[in-house]
Amino acid sequence: MRTFKNTNIKPLIVAVCLLTAVSCNNKNKKNTSSKTDNPYQEKVDSIIGLMTLEEKLGQLNLPATGPITTGSSKSTDVVKKIEDGKIGGLFNLGDPKNIYEVQKIAVEKSRLGIPLIFGMDVIHGFKTTFPIPLGLSCSWDMEMIEKTAQIAASEASANGINWTFSPMVDISRDPRWGRVSEGNGEDPYLGSEIARAMVRGYQKDDLTANNTLMSCVKHFALYGAPEAGRDYNTVDMSRIRMYNEYLPPYKAAVDEGVGSVMASFNEIDGIPATGNKWLLTDLLRDDWGFNGFVVSDYTGIYEMKAHGMGDAYAVTSLALKAGLDMDMAGDSPNIDAAYIKHLEGALEQGKIAMADIDTAVARVLTAKYQLGLFDDPYRYCNEERSKNETYTQKNRDFARLVGAESTVLLKNENQLLPLKKSGTVAVIGPLAKAGNNMPGTWSVSSDHDKAISVWDGLQQTVGENVNLLYAKGSNLDYDLELEKRATMFGKTIPRDGRTDKQLLDEALAIAKKSDVIVATIGESAEFSGESSSRTDIGIPQVQKDLLQALLKTGKPVVLVLFTGRPLTLVEENETVPAILNVWFPGSEAGLSISDVLFGDVNPSGKLTATFPRNVGQVPLFYNHKNTGRPLGNKEGKFEKFKTNYLDVRNEPLYPFGYGLSYTTFDYSNFNLDKTSIGMGGEISVSVDVTNSGNYDGKEVVQLYIRDVVGSVTRPVKELKGFKKVSIKKGETKTVTFNLSVEDLKFYNYDLDFVAEPGIFQVFVGTDSTTELMKEFELKNNKE
Ligand code: BGC
């Protein structure tokens, strides 16, 4: 494999490049999605003029790729289709040599030589794997998050990939839903900031560069709100909730110039997103100004048959007419509704027009121009870059840091943590040696077997000074069938053939020899992710039992908790002295965890999703409405005929924004520079934060507002700003926020984005329960 420059492009396409005014080298600057004219339009139109209907439909076809045989036997179905111009792109092809070979077939053997686009689920890293997105979001560090996307882009693009199905920005308030692990939690403001950071990181203002990827924001829209938390289930919500609470992160990605959008599986207002013209055209393109291309989710078009939207011709036309450009995974023998198979018939039946097809083809071709593929179809296949820039020590060191920064300290009684680098530590639990689970869910390109387990990480870091002992303690779950479902995709945790009692006895014997127990328990990687919804969101019972037995030894226990979702942890919170929620930290997991356990990194992660007390409280989120019957007491005591439960208090176990540090932070001198502003004004909010504990640390200072009276009901609190600041022990820093009228706006009953005059409360503090509050008035005058 080597890099090529312009040599193998078909003469027809070269002619198009030469004849049209804009250079094929034209850099695609940021704002691919803005309303600016398409600089490639002329070239794209010329190519479309040369295409047969079959070739046009080929550009809209993104088949699921099984193994493709190239090299000596270029004979698979897929290869033949590429030669015939019936494929526009491929995804999740792992091997860069293969990508190179396949591209060569498209460029040299198909009639028009149009290059393929190569997509992949590069979700939280490529080979170097960062924490699962929910974990990463807990870092609240936008620069760091952007850099993870940039590293992922640089590694993936060196290995043939030019398009990533990320970021996933679905707001979710339902931890039963397994894909809560892939998103950024429950808050639209934070979710929007992260969406922007990810798009910036992947696209870096220059899609033609060979080290950037085109980003695809997903799953548009509202996929994170399925009824009962069951994946792929119906979504039904009011427009006002959509606009204010669920749509902002997608819009933020569009504003940041994201090149593509993936339609979600769910329905919206009774019409599946895949065929929803209001969503994909009226809102996305006409209101938001997006002009990239839209891809379906995996067999999303075909699934509209099961949704009850009609036969193959009806659903393919519905999708095309709605503004869906590319059909993912429709082209399989068992999928009987696909653009490639049915749009010709739909055209004959008069359900669609040739112009509809041309519009979609133009968008796909434009993306290929934006990526520079017409200039050099092999620009993303670079053996040298692949060797030198993938999974480098530098990238891995960064992943180690990110893993530590995403960790959330949930409890630390009597300063049990950090541990001393001496004595005997018993590492007990089924996840202690499960290195292959550390990258977490949706890590398709990760080398799972190379990821560093807790056990290996501790050996490498403190192994010389600390006497480390190990016992498995239990299997993952009592239920073998559930365990199998939760250890798929090569992320096996081999079931120990011994009885539960034998495993426990061994663990207790090891525990007795130790000074402190590190219990490595929780979910395995595939307990969360796609099609991994749960109704019981506790730690699997066998591990809960193990933990309680370990506590009975009287030794101090640190719970190192693995999870892809908020869990119910009431029992653990009551009984375990220290709980470190590490999510799935990525390829360097064991090192990241050791750094935090032994105090080389002071944890600063803050939850981005509420941890409920029990599953019956779900959906539970901080930015809820007050209702007409709010509770009258802060202690959470039951009150008849008020909004509460008979059997559990309303508050979560751990609220949004919560996370401890090894040090403590005190807030003082909270100040607003004005008591009122006009419609063009801005208010400066400042607060002094003092590190009053014994360690240097980082604090995520959070700012919330409450719009006290509105033309529609407003949330009790809304995040509107945050700053992550490093503060040395004993030091005080003044943290300042500027709150503009833009920050006070919301979508009203008519869906106009407005700020309404009246009193606003401003809160600052360490998490969403803060009561540090001041008020100001927004007045109806200009200044
Ligand atoms: C998922 C998407 C993913 C796609 C391609 C689908 O099942 O919902 O998030 O990008 O597969 O792998």
Side-chain angles (χ1 to χ4, degrees):
M1 184 175 51
R2 63 193 171 91
T3 32
F4 274 70
K5 199 71 194 149
N6 242 347
T7 45
N8 283 334
I9 311 231
K10 281 278 159 82
L12 271 176
I13 302 292
V14 171
V16 167
C17 288
L18 291 173
L19 281 171
T20 47
V22 184
S23 153
C24 287
N25 264 327
N26 197 15
K27 287 228 160 75
N28 179 63
K29 280 289 170 200
K30 180 172 166 155
N31 275 332
T32 47
S33 320
S34 76
K35 276 192 171 130
T36 53
D37 288 338
N38 177 0
Y40 306 103
Q41 194 66 54
E42 217 177 318
K43 288 200 294 263
V44 162
D45 289 344
S46 314
I47 297 178
I48 290 176
L50 303 171
M51 294 172 98
T52 63
L53 174 60
E54 209 170 49
E55 286 165 339
K56 289 178 184 177
L57 299 184
Q59 287 306 305
L60 311 184
N61 188 24
L62 180 72
T65 332
I68 297 182
T69 321
T70 57
S72 53
S73 86
K74 296 184 171 88
S75 61
T76 60
D77 195 25
V78 175
V79 169
K80 173 81 175 64
K81 284 182 182 165
I82 296 172
E83 288 173 353
D84 292 347
K86 289 184 181 167
I87 288 180
L90 294 167
F91 69 100
N92 288 351
L93 259 192
D95 176 8
K97 286 204 177 73
N98 214 352
I99 292 180
Y100 174 81
E101 288 288 333
V102 172
Q103 187 69 299
K104 208 156 153 16
I105 294 166
V107 171
E108 292 182 8
K109 298 276 173 63
S110 70
R111 191 178 73 92
L112 290 173
I114 299 173
L116 300 170
I117 187 168
F118 289 96
M120 183 174 258
D121 288 281
V122 182
I123 308 292
H124 47 115
F126 183 69
K127 291 287 174 205
T128 305
T129 314
F130 301 102
I132 56 166
L134 182 59
L136 184 58
S137 69
C138 293
S139 71
W140 296 60
D141 186 333
M142 297 309 115
E143 242 172 74
M144 183 173 257
I145 290 174
E146 180 175 337
K147 196 167 165 199
T148 66
Q150 194 191 329
I151 289 175
S154 126
E155 290 196 1
S157 62
N159 287 280
I161 305 299
N162 38 48
W163 180 32
T164 176
F165 304 142
S166 173
M168 189 277 222
V169 302
D170 306 323
I171 294 295
S172 187
R173 298 155 163 184
D174 196 330
R176 293 171 298 184
W177 189 52
R179 301 196 83 172
V180 75
S181 54
E182 287 174 65
N184 306 309
E186 70 192 36
D187 185 65
Y189 178 86
L190 180 64
S192 300
E193 292 297 304
I194 295 176
R196 284 194 195 95
M198 293 294 288
V199 173
R200 274 198 305 273
Y202 288 133
Q203 300 194 164
K204 274 281 152 211
D205 274 6
D206 183 4
L207 286 176
T208 61
N210 70 356
N211 62 354
T212 60
L213 298 176
M214 179 174 280
S215 166
C216 180
V217 67
K218 70 187 188 187
H219 306 82
F220 192 58
L222 322 179
Y223 181 43
E227 285 174 358
R230 202 177 69 224
D231 209 1
Y232 318 123
N233 204 3
T234 306
V235 172
D236 191 7
M237 74 170 71
S238 66
R239 288 272 161 112
I240 201 164
R241 171 164 268 182
M242 274 181 215
Y243 273 73
N244 283 310
E245 302 167 35
Y246 282 78
L247 292 176
Y250 309 104
K251 180 166 188 304
V254 169
D255 289 345
E256 199 60 44
V258 74
S260 61
V261 170
M262 187 186 291
S264 56
F265 287 127
N266 54 281
E267 66 175 67
I268 290 168
D269 284 339
I271 300 177
T274 313
N276 194 315
K277 179 174 168 297
W278 170 77
L279 183 78
L280 300 184
T281 298
D282 302 353
L283 180 71
L284 179 65
R285 296 188 187 279
D286 298 346
D287 285 3
W288 293 359
F290 174 73
N291 67 4
F293 75 104
V294 178
V295 64
S296 77
D297 202 347
Y298 204 102
T299 63
I301 296 174
Y302 159 74
E303 288 172 28
M304 285 204 285
K305 285 179 72 178
H307 275 288
M309 303 305 289
D311 66 12
Y313 299 102
V315 298
T316 48
S317 332
L318 187 66
L320 190 74
K321 284 276 194 195
L324 189 125
D325 305 308
M326 209 173 198
D327 176 2
M328 182 195 286
D331 188 6
S332 280
N334 56 332
I335 302 299
D336 63 358
Y339 277 3
I340 194 79
K341 296 175 203 163
H342 296 98
L343 281 187
E344 188 174 352
L347 190 64
E348 282 160 10
Q349 292 172 27
K351 286 186 156 63
I352 54 165
M354 187 63 91
D356 299 322
I357 296 176
D358 288 352
T359 301
V361 173
R363 291 183 187 135
V364 173
L365 291 177
T366 299
K368 293 181 178 183
Y369 271 109
Q370 289 171 330
L371 285 165
L373 288 168
F374 283 101
D375 276 334
D376 176 8
Y378 309 100
R379 71 188 327 139
Y380 301 96
C381 297
N382 187 322
E383 206 165 20
E384 215 174 290
R385 275 194 58 220
S386 166
K387 240 187 9 237
N388 299 335
E389 292 176 29
T390 315
Y391 201 54
T392 59
Q393 195 52 50
K394 197 167 158 219
N395 291 353
R396 294 178 57 192
D397 289 346
F398 185 63
R400 172 178 180 169
L401 179 69
V402 180
E405 292 282 326
S406 304
T407 295
V408 185
L409 180 63
L410 296 176
K411 189 177 172 194
N412 194 19
E413 207 170 79
N414 300 327
Q415 301 271 300
L416 175 55
L417 289 174
L419 300 177
K420 288 188 205 63
K421 291 181 183 167
S422 59
T424 299
V425 174
V427 185
I428 298 177
L431 285 143
K433 291 194 173 175
N436 60 1
N437 273 252
M438 296 298 104
T441 191
W442 271 117
S443 48
V444 288
S445 46
S446 187
D447 288 329
H448 293 102
D449 293 332
K450 285 194 192 156
I452 300 175
S453 68
V454 178
W455 179 250
D456 290 342
L458 292 177
Q459 292 285 0
Q460 280 181 43
T461 48
V462 296
E464 276 187 12
N465 302 319
V466 178
N467 181 27
L468 296 166
L469 304 175
Y470 164 78
K472 185 165 180 180
S474 78
N475 282 309
L476 193 62
D477 202 284
Y478 284 125
D479 180 347
L480 176 60
E481 287 310 311
L482 176 57
E483 187 173 292
K484 277 191 203 150
R485 286 179 224 136
T487 50
M488 293 178 130
F489 306 130
K491 294 172 199 161
T492 49
I493 300 179
R495 194 162 174 98
D496 201 301
R498 287 174 288 174
T499 64
D500 294 330
K501 168 125 187 9
Q502 284 168 331
L503 284 165
L504 185 60
D505 286 348
E506 180 193 57
L508 293 176
I510 294 287
K512 280 190 187 122
K513 294 185 197 152
S514 70
D515 301 312
V516 58
I517 300 167
V518 170
T520 49
I521 68 177
E523 293 191 321
S524 57
E526 293 305 321
F527 247 117
S528 60
E530 187 168 350
S531 186
S532 293
S533 296
R534 295 180 69 193
T535 60
D536 171 357
I537 54 169
I539 294 171
Q541 192 60 45
V542 68
Q543 298 184 64
K544 277 174 86 81
D545 293 346
L546 166 65
L547 188 61
Q548 291 307 318
L550 293 174
L551 286 161
K552 284 205 186 97
T553 63
K555 304 279 179 178
V557 176
V558 178
L559 167 54
V560 170
L561 181 68
F562 294 91
T563 180
R565 54 159 59 78
L567 294 177
T568 49
L569 298 169
V570 169
E571 185 183 27
E572 291 71 26
N573 184 59
E574 268 165 21
T575 53
V576 186
I579 307 177
L580 202 56
N581 187 17
V582 299
W583 308 106
F584 289 94
S587 44
E588 314 306 304
L591 303 174
S592 313
I593 293 168
S594 176
D595 289 344
V596 179
L597 276 177
F598 290 93
D600 294 319
V601 175
N602 186 352
S604 57
K606 301 272 193 173
L607 296 179
T608 57
T610 299
F611 275 45
R613 287 170 198 275
N614 68 31
V615 78
Q617 290 182 306
V618 169
L620 185 64
F621 46 96
Y622 85 94
N623 46 352
H624 59 84
K625 304 286 184 72
N626 203 34
T627 81
R629 294 190 175 193
L631 267 193
N633 74 87
K634 286 196 179 128
E635 298 71 46
K637 275 188 286 180
F638 176 76
E639 290 178 33
K640 193 69 182 168
F641 303 124
K642 291 290 169 76
T643 178
N644 57 175
Y645 301 96
L646 285 175
D647 56 350
V648 72
R649 57 186 297 178
N650 284 353
E651 293 77 21
L653 182 64
Y654 305 124
F656 176 84
Y658 172 81
L660 303 172
S661 163
Y662 294 153
T663 190
T664 46
F665 297 102
D666 296 337
Y667 284 68
S668 61
N669 290 334
F670 175 28
N671 201 34
L672 309 186
D673 72 337
K674 302 181 190 81
T675 52
S676 70
I677 55 169
M679 284 298 170
E682 207 174 73
I683 200 152
S684 172
V685 180
S686 62
V687 67
D688 288 350
V689 185
T690 303
N691 181 337
S692 50
N694 295 321
Y695 299 85
D696 297 346
K698 289 181 189 162
E699 168 73 330
V700 179
V701 182
Q702 300 161 41
L703 180 147
Y704 298 86
I705 63 162
R706 179 172 183 178
D707 185 352
V708 179
V709 176
S711 58
V712 291
T713 59
R714 308 287 300 122
V716 295
K717 261 181 197 161
E718 292 175 277
L719 183 74
K720 289 294 172 183
F722 58 88
K723 282 195 178 156
K724 188 164 184 176
V725 279
S726 294
I727 310 180
K728 295 211 174 309
K729 88 176 165 193
E731 190 190 6
T732 298
K733 275 195 176 161
T734 303
V735 178
T736 311
F737 299 92
N738 284 329
L739 211 49
S740 77
V741 173
E742 216 45 35
D743 297 313
L744 310 178
K745 287 187 175 172
F746 65 97
Y747 290 92
N748 68 11
Y749 199 77
D750 298 323
L751 301 180
D752 294 325
F753 194 52
V754 295
E756 293 178 344
I759 301 294
F760 283 80
Q761 296 177 335
V762 182
F763 302 81
V764 290
T766 191
D767 65 45
S768 61
T769 62
T770 176
E771 294 181 355
L772 213 53
M773 190 268 286
K774 287 203 181 288
E775 290 184 346
F776 73 91
E777 186 180 355
L778 176 65
K779 292 196 166 156
N780 213 355
N781 52 318
K782 275 220 164 88
E783 282 311 302

